Amino acid sequence: MNVYDSEQILQRLQTIGYRQCDSPDKADLIVLNTCAIREKAEQKVYSFLGRQAKRKQHRPELLVAVGGCVAQQEGGRLLERIPHLDLVFGTHAVGRLAGHVERIRKNGGRIVDVDMDGGRAIFDGLEPLEAPAGPSRFVTIMQGCDNFCTYCVVPYVRGREVSRPPSQILSEIRVLVGSGVREVTLLGQNVNSYGAKEGYGSFADLLKKVSGIDGLARIRFTTSHPKDLSDELIDCFAALDRLCRHIHLPVQSGSDRVLKRMNRRYRRADYLDKVGRLRSVCPDIGITSDFIVGFPGESDEDFADTIDLMRSVQFDGVFAFQYSDRPSAPASGFAGKIDETVKKRRLAELLDLQETITLCKNRALVGSVQQVMAEGPSKKNYFQETNRTALWTGRTPQNRIVHFALDTPTPGEGMMAPGTILNVRIEEAFSHSLRGIPELERPNQHGRKGVDSHAA
Ligand code: 5AD
Ligand code: SF4
């Protein structure tokens, strides 16, 4: 979500003559897009902003701006706390950003804009960037959240749920595909409730429309709230070829008592039931999740239930976090706060177990052939790089990362286009990635047989 928002921020600033540069030392304007989901993310904002004081001393004409959720949450307090800050713009003020920057440049002064303007205007004038950074892009389909999980700041800093009209989403994706994008990830805090308020039809309807866009190879979406995961959406995994067989389905806890206090509005049995249905419709679906450990009042038994759920689901990957108090969220006032050392220990236990599960699942893939969309040259050098070997990285439909070596005719030549989908035979498994060899005839100067750049 923040990647998409940052792209929008850049887009707006380009309209008034700014360009992205490669170092903050060269910048005339530094914009920090922020996240308030956990305390740690918020602390990073203050330390980054603190470091800009020196820069501004050397170059007083430099402008410093803060956007996103911390800006929305803190508003004018940020200007009080950080004397060298020029602009604070909230989650609904991106459309007004360029005007604010121009005003400050012209007249000086400092601006705070955290108006939430009823929500709708948030999607006005959104446009994709002309030059996509790679074959895969995020597309926001809705903003805000109405779920009010008791630990979560999102409903307070992003506001109520608002969906974008399907026509706007479809035309944005068509433009992206026209400029080379092959995969889109549809984004929302809870995509399963897309369009419910506005009467746009269901999220499954939207998926069907998106999968009709010519030239688009892969569709992903995130995030799904388990309580709203419908059979209609589950069936899409079987019906829509281009829909990647992966779902991120945050469970947060395996204890009914904790789920209730979190206001998640499903029980452990409901979650397990949905996982069962997903796997019966699509046996090789990748299922990932989010967990919070150390929620106020979480007992050893509650945590044991979480571990037990993790064992029985056998997730393909998880993100797990220690509970962090968010002042505007109700759980910050709950009794039974858990000691930091206990949270740490529970987190380590959870992650250890998942690492074993992921490694075991990844090992089971050794020898299989996976469809991988090449994203770009690999950062990880699992192979000894030789003059004739290019290292690439990509993802399977289940969202597993695959590194693969590709022989090139001569160094640097015959580079494959990012977005190419190819069959990779898996040779080695790690806990966070796979390594393999593409199944293709030797590349030649006229193209590469065996690489299908148009199929999902
Ligand atoms: N403390 C810890 N983790 C949190 N998350 C959201 N709020 C908190 C919090 N206060 C986690 C949830 C969510 C993910 C995006 O962040 O697991 O799914
Ligand atoms: Fe936060 Fe819950 Fe909404 Fe997710 S569904 S954004 S955890 S309030």
Side-chain angles (χ1 to χ4, degrees):
M1 193 136 271
N2 276 355
V3 173
Y4 183 87
D5 291 349
S6 296
E7 286 171 351
Q8 289 300 330
I9 289 170
L10 184 60
Q11 173 86 359
R12 307 300 173 119
L13 292 171
Q14 281 173 344
T15 64
I16 54 166
Y18 285 95
R19 271 181 309 115
Q20 197 172 7
C21 64
D22 54 16
S23 155
D25 291 328
K26 296 182 197 157
D28 299 314
L29 166 66
I30 292 176
V31 183
L32 185 63
N33 190 18
T34 62
C35 169
I37 197 94
R38 283 171 293 276
E39 200 186 347
K40 243 190 209 157
E42 202 178 321
Q43 279 164 358
K44 278 192 200 159
V45 173
Y46 292 110
S47 59
F48 178 88
L49 288 176
R51 291 198 299 275
Q52 305 319 306
K54 249 202 187 129
R55 262 199 191 103
K56 192 133 179 172
Q57 256 170 21
H58 290 294
R59 293 181 47 219
E61 72 281 8
L62 170 70
L63 296 184
V64 181
V66 180
C69 293
V70 176
Q72 187 66 46
Q73 179 182 276
E74 296 300 314
R77 286 195 295 264
L78 276 171
L79 287 193
E80 285 165 24
R81 196 165 159 177
I82 298 149
H84 51 278
L85 186 60
D86 300 289
L87 169 62
V88 177
F89 63 103
T91 51
H92 291 228
V94 176
R96 300 183 289 269
L97 171 63
H100 292 327
V101 170
E102 286 201 304
R103 221 158 294 132
I104 296 173
R105 266 202 317 210
K106 218 160 138 199
N107 310 327
R110 308 167 87 196
I111 294 177
V112 178
D113 179 356
V114 287
D115 286 351
M116 285 186 131
D117 60 28
R120 286 243 62 83
I122 197 161
F123 294 127
D124 287 356
L126 289 190
E127 287 296 339
L129 296 176
E130 295 88 34
S136 182
R137 286 294 287 267
F138 294 113
V139 173
T140 291
I141 63 163
M142 60 204 295
Q143 271 279 19
C145 185
D146 290 350
N147 287 311
F148 293 93
C149 301
T150 53
Y151 51 80
C152 187
V153 73
V154 168
Y156 308 96
V157 291
R158 292 232 175 223
R160 294 294 71 73
E161 207 168 275
V162 184
S163 295
R164 268 177 102 179
S167 56
Q168 210 186 80
I169 296 167
L170 294 171
S171 64
E172 178 163 314
I173 298 173
R174 281 195 199 98
V175 172
L176 288 172
V177 170
S179 57
V181 167
R182 315 244 24 245
E183 172 183 273
V184 291
T185 303
L186 307 179
L187 285 181
Q189 304 297 343
N190 177 18
V191 293
N192 306 60
S193 60
Y194 170 80
K197 281 184 187 166
E198 292 84 356
Y200 291 151
S202 66
F203 178 57
D205 291 337
L206 179 70
L207 278 180
K208 286 170 197 160
K209 287 182 192 139
V210 173
S211 76
I213 294 177
D214 275 348
L216 186 63
R218 285 182 167 187
I219 305 161
R220 300 183 184 277
F221 61 84
T222 196
T223 293
S224 294
H225 194 304
K227 77 175 164 55
D228 298 316
L229 176 60
S230 65
D231 286 346
E232 189 195 13
L233 180 56
I234 293 175
D235 289 339
C236 286
F237 284 107
L240 303 178
D241 288 348
R242 295 171 179 188
L243 181 62
C244 285
R245 299 184 294 281
H246 169 233
I247 188 162
H248 185 64
L249 198 61
V251 64
Q252 314 295 2
S253 168
S255 152
D256 280 340
R257 210 178 65 94
V258 175
L259 287 172
K260 190 153 203 282
R261 283 159 56 80
M262 286 178 163
N263 191 31
R264 292 291 287 175
R265 287 178 282 166
Y266 53 82
R267 296 167 66 89
R268 166 197 177 91
D270 304 325
Y271 188 88
L272 293 173
D273 181 54
K274 300 226 170 169
V275 167
R277 271 191 271 168
L278 281 162
R279 287 191 171 139
S280 72
V281 164
C282 184
D284 64 341
I285 193 165
I287 303 180
T288 55
S289 198
D290 289 348
F291 286 85
I292 296 176
V293 297
F295 185 76
E298 185 189 65
S299 65
D300 286 342
E301 294 78 58
D302 292 323
F303 180 64
D305 285 347
T306 298
I307 288 284
D308 182 70
L309 178 131
M310 190 175 233
R311 270 209 188 94
S312 54
V313 173
Q314 299 279 304
F315 291 103
D316 293 270
V318 305
F319 297 102
F321 312 98
Q322 296 180 41
Y323 167 77
S324 153
D325 262 346
R326 302 288 61 216
S328 42
S332 64
F334 285 9
K337 293 285 164 57
I338 307 295
D339 206 70
E340 289 300 313
T341 52
V342 175
K343 284 195 221 170
K344 224 177 176 174
R345 180 161 31 83
R346 288 181 183 167
L347 181 68
E349 190 180 332
L350 198 84
L351 292 175
D352 267 6
L353 172 60
Q354 185 55 44
E355 183 143 337
T356 313
I357 294 170
T358 317
L359 189 57
C360 179
K361 292 190 112 182
N362 281 352
R363 280 189 181 143
L365 295 172
V366 171
S368 71
V369 174
Q370 301 287 321
Q371 276 194 339
V372 175
M373 176 182 278
E375 286 173 7
S378 173
K379 284 180 205 135
K380 296 217 168 158
N381 200 350
Y382 288 131
F383 297 89
Q384 204 50 44
E385 203 162 352
T386 68
N387 280 345
R388 282 173 48 83
T389 305
L391 300 176
W392 277 72
T393 188
R395 277 167 206 267
T396 67
Q398 291 79 2
N399 216 29
R400 295 190 181 97
I401 295 171
V402 179
H403 301 282
F404 56 94
L406 205 64
D407 282 352
T408 55
T410 52
E413 216 181 88
M415 290 302 279
M416 181 173 48
T420 301
I421 292 176
L422 65 170
N423 291 326
V424 176
R425 184 168 294 280
I426 304 303
E427 296 200 319
E428 206 176 347
F430 307 96
S431 54
H432 297 286
S433 62
L434 300 162
R435 183 187 60 74
I437 298 285
E439 296 235 300
L440 61 148
E441 290 173 29
R442 290 281 156 250
N444 59 41
Q445 282 164 329
H446 308 294
R448 21 190 92 244
K449 284 188 186 160
V451 177
D452 177 0
S453 58
H454 295 287

